[in-house]
Amino acid sequence: LGIDLSPVLHSLGIHPNSVYRRKVLDTFQSPWVETSRSEVEPRFFTPD
Amino acid sequence: TNKERMYLVFTEWVKLLQRVPSDDVGVLVFIRQMVSKGVLDQSDKLIEFCKAAIELSVNSFKESDPTSEVFIAIDAFSTLIVKLLCLLDFSQSTRKEYFEIIFSTITLVFSEDQAKNGNNFNERPYFRLLSSLLCEWEYLRGHNFAKIKDARARKELKEFEEQFFEVFASFLHAYQPIAFPGFSFAWITLLSHRMFLPRLLRLPDKKGWPKLLLLFSDLLKFMGQYTKKSHVPDAISVVYKGTLRIFLAVGNDTPEFLVENHYVLLNYLPMVYMQLRNIILAAFPKKLSIPDPYDPNLEIEKTELCQDAPLIFYDPVQDLKNLKKPVDNYLRIPTTSLMRTISSGVYLNEYERENGIGYDKTAVDVKLINAIVLHVGIEAALEKEKTSANAIFNTESSYYTILTNLITEGTTEVKFYVVQAISNQLRYPNAHTLWFNYVLKNMFTSNEWGDNKAEIQEIIIRTLLERIITNKPHCWGVIVTFTDLLRLNDESLADLSFIKDIPEVELIVRNL
Amino acid sequence: ENDAFRNPLFQPQLEYWLQTKRPLIQPYEDMPVSMASQLESSLLNCPDSLDADTPHLFQTPLSLPHPTSIFFPNETIRLVSSDHSNPPTQSKHNDIYSRTFLARIMSKFDLDTLFFIFYHYQGSYEQFLSARELSHRGWQFNKVNRCWFYKEVEKLPPGMENAEEITWRYFDYQKSWLARRCGAEFVYREEEFERI
């Protein structure tokens, strides 16, 4: 039957009702919440 | 010994990187000297050096105080790999070959480590090696390789990027959980790595998609193989949780990947994973504004979006095997003998295990049935564009009859899988959803089934219901189709005998 | 016949590699005990977000001498992710960084702090985020003199000759560590400014 996905989406930083959709894969810490306790440095570029 | 000398050189490299930034000229000079002084001037030496470097790095991890910096040597090795790919002269061999040699060496050391250590094998240093490799590559290629000043080198590296990810993905495919169970959780983490998954999703011309499909298939196959009705190992439950989150993230960032590859993904996804199946099928292209499927005034035939056929990345025609000609010929000119060939061609020679709800094995080639149904749908939508809607919204058309004949001439199992395959196309508003909605509605009310009518109706209701009673998301096309069936004047669903037989189901139907 | 099998450098490890192919070709019906325990072991050692973080072998020292620098740690603080309860509100700054803790906390930092991070943590992710935040606040970076500039537009009361008065400010990071007004001779040249 599956589960209520709201908390799962919340843990991913996905807000389905928000008008603004933000990408989450670029800051994805880990497939599991338990191993996502610190944020990871995403890609970035600094001009010379 | 030779090995000890390599240990020394590598140790110097590690120390150097801790003293200067990786862009420093000293780093460039060090690498130049590695080549000129004969450390890395031939591929055999490259293999020996990499072996020594990995062994040293992994041992360094194992022996380090866990609270200290345990990955220094490993990170240094990752940096070395990317620097070599960037700085060396590749007139004799290609970057791809060079990268493959390095990766092969890593693979052999990795294989030996896990074989010899069994349960004591620790995946973390190898995970870190690959993760840092991805990070170093990202640092190099930032802003389309803007850091590379030499124009020719920049051009070469841009061209190499696709191969970089292809090689990485190929080796990741070889490290899949079925082959290396001791690396499973690291593997899943790598597949969803922020420097890997979004890059492959967004490579130009969808170049990364075939490899991603392969990797997702590996994951789903693994899950499927060890999901038993009687018992799901705890570890597999955890795998599922992670897989769910990854699919939700992909659905958020790049729903097109799920939309265009639903056929492939569902071929490997065990059917008991109903919610995950719905997540894949409920995906829709980003800019689309979907009408409310619960709107009582909604008429699917008048929904504008249903004029457009969905994009399909992997053409199911490739999976039709020896039925391709009969199917295509039948669609052009339907004959009984062609139909007989098709109907008899969907069976397996041996049973296959399949953990379904109410069954545990299959005698039919489910993948083949999925391919036939989707192929017919694709052709029907094309036919509509070429000629007219009447050519396909017509119970006499070969597009419709090929499906009804499969059902008439097939066992209950075939009927079930054909209906499942049709329902898999009831997704967001598009031309396939529209046509298959028509097909299913007509199948439900048709009187050509004779004594089999109740059985077919039951299969249709079961198939749609099991997709609706799960937690969300639900597919737009399934909701609309089920609503259409609920609204039928001539046949009230709640009065059907197979519904009345099970009070819980009768209650659900009456409520709906 | 394959070359790989004839290369002595690949022996004996190739054997171990080949063994892993067996379950792919002939899947087990039920998970063997050995596989189950390897899977458990993998679960126990599951890499976490720290394992997946970007490596930094060379720790950049503070890039410029600064009188208060002794009060600031050399290491960046490993910020722990807090809950993502607030849905995105600003559409203008809706990039991949906007939902990270570090970017959100920087939006609360003083200009002073942002400039400090920018000039003293060169090449770092933190510098990048401070530049992003400054840019969001309307500051522009001059590639020539490496200063941040701000265009102040003041609406004048009706009846005045001009509708608005424009003043340019820049942050003097080299001497006074203050935002100063640009002199009357200042001319804005778009090509001198970095497009962020």
Side-chain angles (χ1 to χ4, degrees):
Chain A
L1 286 172
I3 53 167
D4 175 10
L5 291 177
S6 316
V8 185
L9 291 169
H10 188 78
S11 77
L12 285 165
I14 297 173
H15 305 278
N17 298 324
S18 166
V19 185
Y20 310 109
R21 181 188 230 159
R22 273 195 291 214
K23 290 194 192 297
V24 301
L25 285 173
D26 299 276
T27 48
F28 199 68
Q29 297 143 298
S30 162
W32 300 277
V33 174
E34 295 83 352
T35 42
S36 298
R37 278 184 288 231
S38 61
E39 289 191 344
V40 284
E41 187 180 291
R43 59 180 167 85
F44 69 97
F45 175 77
T46 348
D48 269 346
Chain B
T1 65
N2 214 26
K3 194 165 214 180
E4 284 166 342
R5 266 182 269 162
M6 285 188 267
Y7 282 160
L8 274 174
V9 174
F10 181 66
T11 309
E12 284 305 304
W13 167 258
V14 177
K15 284 198 222 163
L16 177 65
L17 285 184
Q18 291 178 278
R19 294 210 181 94
V20 299
S22 64
D23 293 342
D24 189 88
V25 67
V27 170
L28 170 65
V29 171
F30 192 98
I31 287 181
R32 280 229 186 99
Q33 287 186 347
M34 280 176 105
V35 178
S36 66
K37 307 263 181 200
V39 177
L40 287 182
D41 58 341
Q42 293 163 26
S43 60
D44 276 2
K45 292 202 186 150
L46 174 67
I47 293 169
E48 284 178 310
F49 184 83
C50 287
K51 264 199 212 177
I54 301 164
E55 282 162 18
L56 198 62
S57 305
V58 173
N59 285 337
S60 161
F61 163 83
K62 288 179 183 170
E63 283 153 24
S64 291
D65 171 5
T67 61
S68 72
E69 301 281 356
V70 301
F71 294 129
I72 290 178
I74 290 166
D75 289 346
F77 184 53
S78 305
T79 307
L80 178 63
I81 296 172
V82 175
K83 286 289 176 194
L84 290 172
L85 288 172
C86 178
L87 296 170
L88 293 184
D89 165 41
F90 287 99
S91 46
Q92 300 300 325
S93 69
T94 65
R95 276 188 174 82
K96 182 170 188 262
E97 285 166 344
Y98 198 82
F99 193 34
E100 281 172 341
I101 291 175
I102 296 176
F103 233 121
S104 299
T105 312
I106 295 172
T107 302
L108 292 174
V109 175
F110 169 64
S111 303
E112 183 177 20
D113 191 341
Q114 71 90 37
K116 284 192 171 160
N117 287 302
N119 295 348
N120 293 323
F121 171 72
N122 193 326
E123 61 194 335
R124 286 178 66 215
Y126 297 96
F127 169 81
R128 179 69 176 201
L129 176 57
L130 299 176
S131 168
S132 295
L133 183 58
L134 291 168
C135 292
E136 289 297 333
W137 177 260
E138 181 58 53
Y139 180 72
L140 177 73
R141 63 94 53 224
H143 219 61
N144 238 349
F145 299 93
K147 286 196 184 67
I148 312 295
K149 299 302 168 205
D150 178 60
R152 196 189 70 163
R154 189 164 57 239
K155 181 172 177 286
E156 283 176 15
L157 284 167
K158 272 192 207 177
E159 282 164 3
F160 173 65
E161 167 143 76
E162 187 193 317
Q163 293 172 325
F164 174 88
F165 283 110
E166 230 183 77
V167 171
F168 193 101
S170 294
F171 278 92
L172 201 58
H173 169 57
Y175 300 164
Q176 62 181 287
I178 293 176
F180 289 91
F183 193 66
S184 300
F185 287 88
W187 188 89
I188 299 170
T189 310
L190 282 169
L191 167 59
S192 57
H193 199 283
R194 68 193 182 286
M195 311 291 196
F196 181 75
L197 183 51
R199 276 268 163 247
L200 255 76
L201 283 169
R202 300 198 289 254
L203 279 178
D205 302 322
K206 301 172 184 170
K207 289 259 170 75
W209 284 19
K211 278 287 192 275
L212 272 186
L213 275 176
L214 191 59
L215 293 170
F216 276 113
S217 303
D218 293 340
L219 178 59
L220 296 174
K221 257 193 277 188
F222 174 62
M223 259 173 36
Q225 215 162 84
Y226 300 112
T227 301
K228 307 285 174 201
K229 270 201 287 276
S230 52
H231 165 67
V232 178
D234 286 340
I236 299 292
S237 289
V238 181
V239 167
Y240 169 68
K241 281 212 190 96
T243 304
L244 186 67
R245 284 177 96 245
I246 295 170
F247 271 99
L248 286 170
V250 173
N252 177 74
D253 285 23
T254 317
E256 296 75 22
F257 180 76
L258 299 181
V259 167
E260 297 178 39
N261 293 299
H262 75 298
Y263 162 78
V264 176
L265 293 169
L266 256 58
N267 271 336
Y268 294 105
L269 177 66
M271 277 170 71
V272 286
Y273 289 103
M274 300 262 165
Q275 188 172 40
L276 186 50
R277 181 171 64 175
N278 273 346
I279 288 168
I280 293 168
L281 295 178
F284 58 88
K286 266 187 235 181
K287 300 276 161 65
L288 246 48
S289 179
I290 313 277
D292 177 11
Y294 297 103
D295 177 2
N297 298 320
L298 179 78
E299 287 174 66
I300 189 172
E301 298 82 4
K302 301 211 175 113
T303 307
E304 198 54 46
L305 290 170
C306 288
Q307 297 307 309
D308 305 322
L311 288 173
I312 307 277
F313 180 69
Y314 178 95
D315 194 340
V317 79
Q318 301 167 66
D319 295 340
L320 288 177
K321 299 181 193 171
N322 52 354
L323 290 187
K324 181 185 183 315
K325 276 223 174 80
V327 168
D328 282 339
N329 287 340
Y330 181 92
L331 291 178
R332 264 197 308 273
I333 301 169
T335 68
T336 355
S337 69
L338 280 171
M339 195 63 233
R340 226 187 344 260
T341 309
I342 299 166
S343 287
S344 57
V346 298
Y347 296 96
L348 293 170
N349 290 326
E350 291 174 354
Y351 280 121
E352 250 175 35
R353 288 192 179 271
E354 172 71 51
N355 288 309
I357 296 175
Y359 59 93
D360 55 14
K361 56 184 186 289
T362 59
V364 304
D365 191 340
V366 182
K367 196 168 160 182
L368 180 56
I369 290 178
N370 288 342
I372 293 172
V373 170
L374 179 56
H375 177 65
V376 169
I378 291 172
E379 293 299 308
L382 287 172
E383 179 64 37
K384 189 184 114 185
E385 291 301 305
K386 263 199 314 228
T387 56
S388 72
N390 284 336
I392 63 163
F393 289 96
N394 173 356
T395 55
E396 311 279 307
S397 79
S398 57
Y399 299 92
Y400 181 80
T401 61
I402 192 176
L403 299 177
T404 52
N405 285 332
L406 265 175
I407 289 178
T408 312
E409 294 169 32
T411 57
T412 307
E413 221 185 326
V414 170
K415 294 178 180 36
F416 176 74
Y417 285 113
V418 170
V419 170
Q420 287 283 342
I422 290 172
S423 304
N424 288 346
Q425 315 315 320
L426 297 172
R427 301 188 290 157
Y428 68 97
N430 64 54
H432 291 186
T433 304
L434 176 61
W435 188 67
F436 283 108
N437 163 276
Y438 168 85
V439 166
L440 216 53
K441 274 194 310 220
N442 277 282
M443 282 183 176
F444 190 82
T445 57
S446 166
N447 286 314
E448 68 173 273
W449 309 118
D451 292 336
N452 286 327
K453 182 168 178 177
E455 183 182 65
I456 289 153
Q457 287 183 319
E458 184 179 345
I459 290 173
I460 292 175
I461 297 298
R462 174 232 164 100
T463 301
L464 295 177
L465 207 54
E466 72 188 6
R467 290 157 194 250
I468 297 178
I469 59 172
T470 56
N471 274 278
K472 287 185 179 174
H474 301 136
C475 295
W476 186 91
V478 171
I479 297 170
V480 168
T481 305
F482 196 76
T483 310
D484 286 344
L485 294 183
L486 281 171
R487 283 200 193 144
L488 290 169
N489 288 323
D490 298 338
E491 336 206 15
S492 171
L493 281 192
D495 292 333
L496 293 169
S497 57
F498 58 84
I499 302 268
K500 292 212 282 229
D501 276 348
I502 307 170
E504 297 95 326
V505 176
E506 188 187 5
L507 192 60
I508 292 172
V509 171
R510 285 202 187 280
N511 282 335
L512 287 169
Chain C
E1 278 94 53
N2 198 297
D3 279 346
F5 289 84
R6 286 186 288 178
N7 188 341
L9 287 173
F10 287 166
Q11 307 297 342
Q13 293 158 327
L14 207 47
E15 266 309 304
Y16 301 116
W17 168 242
L18 284 173
Q19 278 169 23
T20 68
K21 301 294 180 190
R22 189 184 283 169
L24 288 170
I25 298 164
Q26 206 176 18
Y28 299 115
E29 208 169 278
D30 293 302
M31 197 187 287
V33 174
S34 58
M35 188 192 230
S37 52
Q38 281 178 307
L39 196 53
E40 291 281 325
S41 166
S42 173
L43 175 54
L44 280 170
N45 285 323
C46 186
D48 65 12
S49 44
L50 286 172
D51 286 352
D53 208 358
T54 308
H56 290 295
L57 283 162
F58 174 69
Q59 304 291 346
T60 327
L62 286 186
S63 311
L64 292 172
H66 188 278
T68 60
S69 65
I70 54 166
F71 299 116
F72 290 83
N74 263 337
E75 276 175 21
T76 55
I77 305 161
R78 254 290 134 233
L79 289 164
V80 171
S81 171
S82 68
D83 81 325
H84 308 288
S85 48
N86 297 319
T89 46
Q90 303 159 287
S91 60
K92 196 166 81 160
H93 313 312
N94 210 17
D95 56 16
I96 63 170
Y97 312 98
S98 46
R99 55 184 285 275
T100 62
F101 187 73
L102 207 43
R104 286 191 300 180
I105 213 156
M106 284 217 190
S107 68
K108 300 186 164 69
F109 281 177
D110 268 354
L111 281 176
D112 234 12
T113 314
L114 293 174
F115 287 124
F116 182 83
I117 296 170
F118 180 82
Y119 287 108
H120 287 264
Y121 289 88
Q122 288 183 38
S124 69
Y125 173 54
E126 289 74 14
Q127 180 201 33
F128 166 82
L129 283 181
S130 67
R132 175 184 171 274
E133 182 58 32
L134 285 166
S135 174
H136 285 172
R137 294 191 199 185
W139 290 78
Q140 297 181 62
F141 184 72
N142 187 297
K143 293 187 274 194
V144 178
N145 58 33
R146 317 282 169 122
C147 291
W148 286 90
F149 282 75
Y150 184 79
K151 179 176 163 184
E152 216 167 74
V153 180
E154 194 190 327
K155 289 234 174 330
L156 295 174
M160 302 278 286
E161 202 179 304
N162 299 322
E164 54 188 31
E165 189 182 307
I166 294 176
T167 29
W168 281 91
R169 291 177 184 282
Y170 74 99
F171 186 81
D172 178 14
Y173 72 95
Q174 286 174 306
K175 298 204 188 81
S176 62
W177 197 257
L178 285 172
R180 311 186 85 107
R181 240 172 202 240
C182 297
E185 73 286 356
F186 172 75
V187 176
Y188 176 77
R189 286 187 198 91
E190 201 182 326
E191 65 276 12
E192 282 179 12
F193 288 83
E194 185 72 61
R195 253 184 300 190
I196 296 184

